[in-house]
Amino acid sequence: MAMQSVEPLSLRPREAAKALGISVRTLWSLSAPRGPIPCLRLGGGKRKSVLYPMLELRAWLSQQTSAAKGGAV
């Protein structure tokens, strides 16, 4: 039985930065609380994880592209 590849629902910070073509530092500054890049913070304390949902990242990037081309945000 062949193993099927599953597309991830979200990316970790390093993966999200690479996918967006920006540095991890830039990603962190843009995804700080109330920053424009959508992220999900799970857990608490030192065990907190930050995930970037693929669908929301794609929607955000599409909005940025429209705005850059002079479209409405």
Side-chain angles (χ1 to χ4, degrees), residues 25-60:
R25 174 175 261 167
T26 299
L27 178 71
W28 281 121
S29 69
L30 293 174
S31 56
R34 299 183 190 182
I37 294 181
C39 66
L40 177 62
R41 299 172 193 279
L42 302 172
K46 293 182 181 182
R47 306 293 269 168
K48 185 179 283 190
S49 294
V50 179
L51 298 174
Y52 294 85
M54 292 291 292
L55 290 175
E56 290 185 35
L57 275 180
R58 286 183 176 144
W60 176 81

